[in-house]
C-alpha cells in the first residue's frame, strides 16, 4: 500500500452514512450574558421525551425528518422557554441556538418560533460578549469562499491580513495582536517576528472566531490591536468526511519557465532530506576549524573539509511551473456512550504546493535622488505546506475533557538571479542565491470544563506544549562583477558576497491556565466573580554558522574567477591553487534564551440592572526574560530583565433595548520585546538588501486604551456598528534604520520611540437585501457587508545625531491610515448556487522607518485595490460543491517607495521606488465532496 493511501486510511474509516428517514436535531442553550447553560432540560413534543444539555449547553437527539416539533427548555434561575415549529432535514446540519433570560420575580414562560430564536442567537453572539468584539459564526463561514482561518479573518471589521495569514487589527500588526486556539494562548509561529500564521487552520473545522478589541482581566494583557480567539469543532453534531482538491493558475507563473537549484527527494513533504545540511564530518565549531591555521598541515586539512560541502547544489534546472495545488481531507465523528457520555473526534489534513515566478525592481538612492543601485530580481519560489489537526473530546454530564493538536510543516525554496548597475562600485552586478526556509510547528493542548453542584461553580483549566522549529539550511549567494557599467567585459567572481549560511532555531513553549467562576446574586440580578491564573514558559536555542570561499594560496589559478556559478566551486576547484572555505561566524551568531510570564487576575461581571452590565477587574503579570550569548571579544553577555505589571480594565454595556447597545471600555495593556529583538545577532538579508540586528536594553511598551461603540442589530444576521477608539503607547518598539547605516549598507534594529498616539473610527454594516423585494423573497438570498476603519497615528522620538537632538512626528511603524472591506454575497439553499464579490484596500502604511536627518527617507507601502470573486454550485444531491475563484483580479503592483515629500501618499516623479513587483492573479477551480 502506498504512503499516500496509508495517510487517507484513518479518515476513510470515519465515514458513516445517515439514514434517509431520520435526522439529527442539535442545539446549544446559552443565557443573555453569552454563557452556556449546562444541564438545561429540553422537553421534545410530541415525542414526550426529555433530555439534558451537557456542560457546554449542547444537546442532540434523533427525530423524524420534516416533522414539526416543540421544544420546552427549563433551567434553575431562568425563565422557561417554548420554541415552536422546529424541524430537521436528513443529511444536513440542523442546529438551533436557544437564549434563556434570567428569571424574573414572577414566573414567566416565554414562547418563540424557531426563526425568532435563530435571530436571538445571532444577536447574542456578538451583542453579549464581555468585551467589545467582532466575530463570525460557523454558519457565515460556510457561505464564504475562504479555505482557511487566515482568509476568514479578512471579513472581520477593522481587520486585514498580510500574506493571507498574518492578522492586522485596527492597522496594528504583528506585535500588537495575540492568538488563542480553544482557550489556550498560542506562541508565535514565526521565530523572527511576533505573529501567528492563521492559514494553518482550515475553515471547515472552525466553529467560530471572535476578535476581542478591548481587554478583560481573564485574557492576556499582551495585545493592543486585537486578540483573535479561534474555536474549533470538538464533538460533531453530525458525522462528516469532506474531501477537497483545488487547482489554480497564476497569470505570472503557471506553465512558464521555473528555474531553481536541485531539490531534495523529500521537499514535496516540506522536509529537506539532508541535502542542504552542514556536512556531518565538518568541525562542530569555528574555534576547532580556525585552529587548523596553526598546524603545518592545516591548509591541507581545510581543503579536505571544504570538499565535504556539496558542490552539485549550485547546478540549476529549468522546468515549467506547475499549477497551484491544494488537497484537503477533514472528518469528524460523535458518539453517545452507554454511560451517558459522548466522545467526539475531528481530524483534518491539508497539503498545498505552489511554484511562483515574478520580477522585483530594487533601488537604492543618494540624497539627491541619484540611483546608486538599480537591480532586477528574477524570483522563483517553490512553496510546500502540510497541516494537520486532531481533536479528541469526552463529555459526560457537567464535565468535559479535550485534547487538541495542531501541526504544520512549511518549506519555501526561493532561487533568484539579480542583475543591475552599482554606481558606487563602478560595475554591473550579477548575483544568484538559493534561500531555503524550513519551519515546523506543533501545539498540543489538554483542557477541561467542569461545573460543580455546589452553587453551580465552574472550573476551566488547560495545559499545553508547543514546538516551533526553523532552519535555513545552506543559504547560498554567488556574486560576480564586471569591469564597468554597461561594458562587455567578463564577469569576475566577488569573494565577499559569495557565502553559505546555516542556522537552526528551536522554541519550546509550555502553557497552563486555570479559571474559577463563582455565581452569586446582587440587586436581584445574577452576578459572576471569576478569578484564576496562568503561566507561559518559553525556551529558545539559536545557532548559526557562516562561510565564504577564499583563494587558498598565492598560487591561485586566476582563470577560476571567471567560471560560471554552477561550476566555480566544483570539487576539482577545491585545492591549493583553487578555493578553500573560510568560516567567519561571530560569537553573537548563537544565543540561548528563556522567558516566563506568570499572571493572576480577579474579575467581576455585574448585572447592575436589566440594561446595565459592568465587567471590571485587574490582572497582575510578572515577566522575566533571560538571554545568554557572547560579544565579539568572546566575553559573556547576559540579558536578564523582569517587571511586574498591574493591568486594570473596565467594560460597561448599556442595552437600550433588544436591538440597540452602547459600549464603553478602558484598559491598560502591554507589549514586550521578543527574543530576536534583544539578541545582538546580526544578519544581512541579501534578498531585502538590508541587515538586521537586535538591541539590548529594549523596554516594554505600556499601552492605554479607550473605546466607545454603538451597535444596532436590526434583524437576523444583520448588524450596524459605529465607534471610536484611542490608544496611547509609551516606549513603543519599532523596527528602524540604524544611524550608522551607509547608502549601500543599510542596517535595521529595534528601538524604543518616546511615545505614540493612535485615534480611530470604525463603521461596520452587514445587511440582508430582503427589504428590496417587496412581496418577492428573491432578494433574501443577497446580503452586503462593508466595514471602514480610519486611523490617525503619531509617534514621537528623540534622536541624538550630528551633535544635536532631533525630534520628529510620523505614524507608528506598520500603521495603516485606513482599511476598507466590502462585499456582495449571494447564497441560495434551494438551488445550491452561491457567489461572492469582495473588495479590500489598505491605506499607505509605513513599512520601514528611515533616518531622515542623515538622508534616509521613510519607506512606505503604497495602497492597492484587491478584488476577489467566487462562484460555487452544490451538485450531486448537494453532497459535492464546485468553486471557481479569481483572486486579486486587478493584480495591481505592490510598491514600496521612499517618501521624499513626506506627503504619505505616493507622488510619481518625486517619491522614489524602493521595490516594486506583481504576484499575478490566481484563477482556481476547487471541488469538494461530503461522504
Amino acid at each position: 500500500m502506498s504512503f499516500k493511501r496509508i495517510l487517507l486510511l484513518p479518515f476513510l474509516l470515519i465515514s458513516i452514512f445517515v439514514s434517509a428517514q431520520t435526522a439529527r436535531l442539535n442545539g446549544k442553550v446559552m443565557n443573555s450574558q453569552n454563557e452556556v447553560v449546562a444541564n438545561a432540560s429540553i422537553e421534545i413534543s410530541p415525542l414526550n421525551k426529555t433530555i439534558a444539555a451537557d456542560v457546554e449547553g449542547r444537546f442532540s437527539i434523533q427525530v423524524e425528518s420534516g416533522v414539526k416539533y416543540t421544544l420546552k427548555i427549563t433551567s434553575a434561575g431562568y425563565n422557561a422557554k417554548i420554541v415552536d415549529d422546529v424541524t430537521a432535514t436528513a443529511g444536513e446540519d440542523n442546529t438551533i441556538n436557544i437564549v434563556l433570560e434570567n428569571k424574573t420575580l414572577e414566573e414567566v414562560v416565554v414562547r418563540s418560533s424557531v426563526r425568532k430564536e435563530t435571530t436571538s442567537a445571532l444577536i447574542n453572539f456578538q451583542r453579549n460578549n464581555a468585551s467589545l468584539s467582532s466575530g463570525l459564526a460557523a454558519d457565515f463561514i460556510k457561505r464564504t469562499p475562504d479555505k482557511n482561518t487566515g482568509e476568514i479573518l479578512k471579513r472581520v471589521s477593522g481587520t486585514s491580513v498580510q500574506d493571507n495569514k498574518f492578522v492586522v487589527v485596527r492597522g496594528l500588526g504583528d506585535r500588537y495582536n495575540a492568538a488563542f486556539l480553544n482557550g489556550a494562548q498560542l506562541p508565535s509561529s514565526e521565530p523572527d517576528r511576533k505573529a501567528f500564521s492563521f492559514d494553518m487552520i482550515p475553515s471547515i473545522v472552525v466553529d467560530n472566531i471572535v476578535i476581542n478589541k478591548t481587554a478583560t482581566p481573564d485574557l492576556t494583557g499582551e495585545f493592543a490591536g486585537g486578540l483573535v480567539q479561534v474555536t474549533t469543532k470538538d464533538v460533531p453534531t453530525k458525522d462528516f468526511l469532506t474531501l477537497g482538491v483545488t487547482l489554480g493558475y497564476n497569470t505570472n507563473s503557471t506553465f512558464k519557465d521555473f528555474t531553481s537549484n536541485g531539490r531534495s527527494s523529500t521537499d514535496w513533504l516540506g522536509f529537506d532530506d539532508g541535502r542542504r545540511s552542514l556536512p556531518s564530518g565538518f568541525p562542530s565549531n569555528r574555534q576547532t576549524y580556525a585552529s587548523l591555521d596553526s598546524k603545518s598541515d592545516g591548509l591541507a586539512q581545510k581543503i579536505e573539509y571544504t570538499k565535504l560541502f556539496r558542490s552539485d547544489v549550485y547546478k540549476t534546472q529549468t522546468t515549467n511551473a506547475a499549477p497551484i495545488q491544494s488537497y484537503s481531507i477533514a472528518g469528524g465523528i460523535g458518539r453517545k456512550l452507554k454511560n451517558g457520555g459522548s466522545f467526539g473526534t475531528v481530524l483534518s489534513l491539508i497539503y498545498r504546493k505552489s511554484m511562483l515566478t515574478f520580477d522585483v525592481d530594487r533601488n537604492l538612492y543618494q540624497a539627491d535622488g541619484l540611483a546608486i543601485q538599480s537591480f532586477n530580481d528574477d524570483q522563483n519560489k517553490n512553496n510546500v505546506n502540510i497541516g494537520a489537526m486532531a481533536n479528541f473530546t469526552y463529555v459526560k454530564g457537567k464535565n468535559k475533557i479535550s485534547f487538541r493538536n495542531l501541526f504544520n510543516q512549511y518549506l519555501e525554496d526561493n532561487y533568484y538571479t539579480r542583475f543591475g548597475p552599482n554606481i558606487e562600485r563602478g560595475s554591473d552586478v550579477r548575483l544568484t542565491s538559493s534561500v531555503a526556509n524550513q519551519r515546523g510547528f506543533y501545539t498540543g493542548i489538554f483542557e477541561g470544563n467542569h461545573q460543580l453542584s455546589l452553587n453551580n461553580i465552574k472550573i476551566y483549566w488547560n495545559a499545553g506544549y508547543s514546538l516551533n522549529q526553523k532552519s535555513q539550511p545552506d543559504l547560498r549567494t554567488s556574486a560576480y562583477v564586471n569591469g564597468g557599467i554597461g561594458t562587455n567585459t567578463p564577469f569576475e567572481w566577488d569573494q565577499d558576497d559569495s557565502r553559505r549560511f546555516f542556522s537552526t532555531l528551536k522554541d519550546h513553549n509550555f502553557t497552563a491556565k486555570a479559571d474559577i467562576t463563582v455565581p452569586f446574586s446582587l440587586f436581584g440580578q445574577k452576578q459572576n466573580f471569576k478569578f484564576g491564573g496562568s503561566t507561559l514558559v518559553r525556551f529558545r536555542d539559536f545557532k548559526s554558522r557562516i562561510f565564504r570561499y577564499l583563494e587558498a594560496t598565492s598560487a591561485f589559478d586566476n582563470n577560476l574567477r571567471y567560471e560560471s556559478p554552477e561550476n566555480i566551486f566544483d570539487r576539482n576547484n577545491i585545492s591549493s591553487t583553487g578555493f578553500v572555505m573560510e568560516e567567519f561566524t561571530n560569537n553573537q551568531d548563537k544565543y540561548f534564551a528563556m522567558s516566563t510570564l506568570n499572571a493572576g487576575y480577579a474579575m467581576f461581571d455585574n448585572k447592575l440592572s436589566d440594561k446595565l452590565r459592568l465587567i471590571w477587574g485587574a490582572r497582575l503579570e510578572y515577566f522575566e526574560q533571560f538571554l545568554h550569548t557572547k560579544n565579539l571579544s568572546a566575553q559573556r553577555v547576559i540579558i536578564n530583565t523582569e517587571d511586574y505589571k498591574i493591568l486594570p480594565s473596565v467594560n460597561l454595556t448599556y442595552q437600550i433595548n433588544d436591538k440597540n447597545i452602547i459600549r464603553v471600555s478602558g484598559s491598560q495593556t502591554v507589549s514586550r520585546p521578543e527574543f530576536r529583538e534583544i539578541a545582538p545577532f546580526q544578519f544581512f538579508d541579501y534578498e531585502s538588501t538590508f541587515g538586521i540586528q537586535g538591541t539590548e536594553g529594549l523596554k516594554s511598551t505600556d499601552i492605554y486604551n479607550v473605546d466607545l461603540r454603538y451597535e444596532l442589530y436590526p434583524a437576523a444576521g444583520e448588524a450596524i456598528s459605529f465607534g471610536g477608539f484611542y490608544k496611547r503607547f509609551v516606549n513603543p518598539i519599532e523596527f528602524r534604520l540604524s544611524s550608522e547605516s551607509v547608502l549601500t549598507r543599510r542596517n535595521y534594529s529595534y528601538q524604543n520611540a518616546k511615545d505614540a498616539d493612535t485615534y480611530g473610527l470604525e463603521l461596520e454594516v452587514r445587511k440582508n437585501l430582503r427589504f428590496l423585494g417587496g412581496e418577492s423573497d428573491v432578494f433574501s438570498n443577497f446580503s452586503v457587508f462593508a466595514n471602514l476603519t480610519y486611523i490617525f497615528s503619531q509617534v514621537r522620538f528623540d534622536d541624538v545625531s550630528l551633535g544635536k537632538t532631533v525630534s520628529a512626528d510620523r505614524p507608528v511603524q506598520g500603521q495603516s491610515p485606513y482599511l476598507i472591506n466590502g462585499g456582495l454575497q449571494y447564497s441560495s439553499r434551494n438551488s445550491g448556487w452561491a457567489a461572492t464579490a469582495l473588495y479590500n484596500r489598505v491605506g499607505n502604511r509605513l513599512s520601514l522607518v528611515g533616518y531622515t536627518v542623515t538622508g534616509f527617507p521613510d519607506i512606505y507601502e503604497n495602497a492597492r485595490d484587491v478584488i476577489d470573486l467566487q462562484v460555487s454550485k452544490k451538485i450531486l444531491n448537494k453532497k459535492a460543491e464546485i468553486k471557481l475563484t479569481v483572486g486579486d483580479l486587478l493584480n495591481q503592483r505592490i510598491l514600496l517607495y521612499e517618501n521624499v515629500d513626506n506627503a504619505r501618499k505616493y507622488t510619481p516623479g518625486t517619491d522614489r521606488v524602493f521595490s516594486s513587483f506583481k504576484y499575478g492573479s490566481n484563477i482556481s477551480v476547487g471541488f469538494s465532496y461530503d461522504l
Side-chain angles (χ1 to χ4, degrees), residues 212-228:
N212 290 66
K213 297 180 180 179
T214 61
T216 54
D218 56 336
L219 297 173
T220 178
E222 289 193 318
F223 80 97
L227 189 150
V228 182

Side-chain angles (χ1 to χ4, degrees), residues 150-450:
E151 296 175 349
I152 295 170
L153 288 169
K154 293 179 181 177
R155 319 299 173 206
V156 182
S157 176
T159 302
S160 63
V161 176
Q162 293 179 330
D163 301 327
N164 278 332
K165 54 187 176 182
F166 300 123
V167 66
V168 177
V169 182
R170 290 177 162 178
L172 297 171
D174 289 4
R175 63 176 313 101
Y176 295 115
N177 300 305
F180 274 63
L181 179 66
N182 301 310
Q185 185 171 359
L186 289 170
S188 171
S189 63
E190 309 303 302
D192 293 332
R193 59 195 291 189
K194 186 180 180 182
F196 184 77
S197 180
F198 283 97
D199 62 342
M200 296 182 188
I201 307 173
S203 60
I204 193 172
V205 299
V206 175
D207 187 62
N208 64 72
I209 298 174
V210 175
I211 299 183
N212 290 66
K213 297 180 180 179
T214 61
T216 54
D218 56 336
L219 297 173
T220 178
E222 289 193 318
F223 80 97
L227 189 150
V228 182
Q229 299 191 75
V230 180
T231 303
T232 59
K233 298 175 181 178
D234 42 30
V235 181
T237 55
K238 172 180 175 291
D239 296 338
F240 69 94
L241 178 64
T242 300
L243 307 176
V245 59
T246 300
L247 297 177
Y249 174 84
N250 180 272
T251 55
N252 276 3
S253 313
T254 308
F255 304 131
K256 298 177 182 178
D257 286 348
F258 185 91
T259 304
S260 69
N261 291 145
R263 290 190 287 273
S264 78
S265 61
T266 55
D267 274 15
W268 70 278
L269 288 172
F271 297 89
D272 176 67
D273 66 358
R275 174 184 176 87
R276 303 179 180 90
S277 300
L278 189 69
S280 59
F282 196 82
S284 59
N285 56 64
R286 178 191 176 185
Q287 288 74 18
T288 302
Y289 187 65
S291 68
L292 296 176
D293 291 334
S294 62
K295 297 182 179 180
S296 59
D297 63 343
L299 177 61
Q301 290 188 53
K302 279 192 168 185
I303 289 173
E304 291 304 310
Y305 280 131
T306 303
K307 288 183 177 180
L308 295 176
F309 286 83
R310 295 187 64 141
S311 60
D312 61 344
V313 294
Y314 288 96
K315 303 293 183 182
T316 60
Q317 60 186 29
T318 300
T319 60
N320 286 332
I324 300 169
Q325 303 166 59
S326 177
Y327 307 93
S328 64
I329 181 169
I333 58 172
R335 287 292 173 270
K336 292 290 185 180
L337 305 179
K338 292 182 179 180
N339 65 355
S342 60
F343 178 79
T345 303
V346 176
L347 307 173
S348 72
L349 181 65
I350 293 179
Y351 178 84
R352 301 188 187 100
K353 183 178 181 180
S354 64
M355 301 173 71
L356 302 176
T357 64
F358 53 95
D359 292 332
V360 183
D361 293 325
R362 301 185 188 278
N363 304 280
L364 294 178
Y365 303 90
Q366 293 181 164
D368 60 4
L370 176 67
I372 56 174
Q373 289 183 6
S374 295
F375 296 146
N376 177 264
D377 291 358
D378 178 15
Q379 303 263 353
N380 299 261
K381 286 191 176 183
N382 181 68
N383 298 285
V384 176
N385 182 217
I386 295 180
M389 191 183 76
N391 291 346
F392 307 93
T393 300
Y394 174 73
V395 180
K396 186 176 187 299
K398 297 182 179 181
N399 301 281
K400 172 190 171 185
I401 296 177
S402 298
F403 179 41
R404 307 175 189 267
N405 301 269
L406 183 67
F407 170 78
N408 192 72
Q409 181 67 29
Y410 179 81
L411 177 65
E412 177 186 83
D413 185 7
N414 182 26
Y415 178 83
Y416 65 93
T417 59
R418 173 173 294 165
F419 181 80
N422 185 327
I423 292 179
E424 184 184 54
R425 300 184 65 165
S427 64
D428 292 321
V429 175
R430 179 176 292 160
L431 179 139
T432 62
S433 180
S434 180
V435 185
N437 280 296
Q438 179 179 292
R439 293 179 293 157
F441 178 80
Y442 165 77
T443 182
I445 301 167
F446 278 103
E447 67 170 357
N449 273 293
H450 312 277

Side-chain angles (χ1 to χ4, degrees), residues 68 353 555 915:
K68 290 185 177 181
K353 183 178 181 180
S915 67

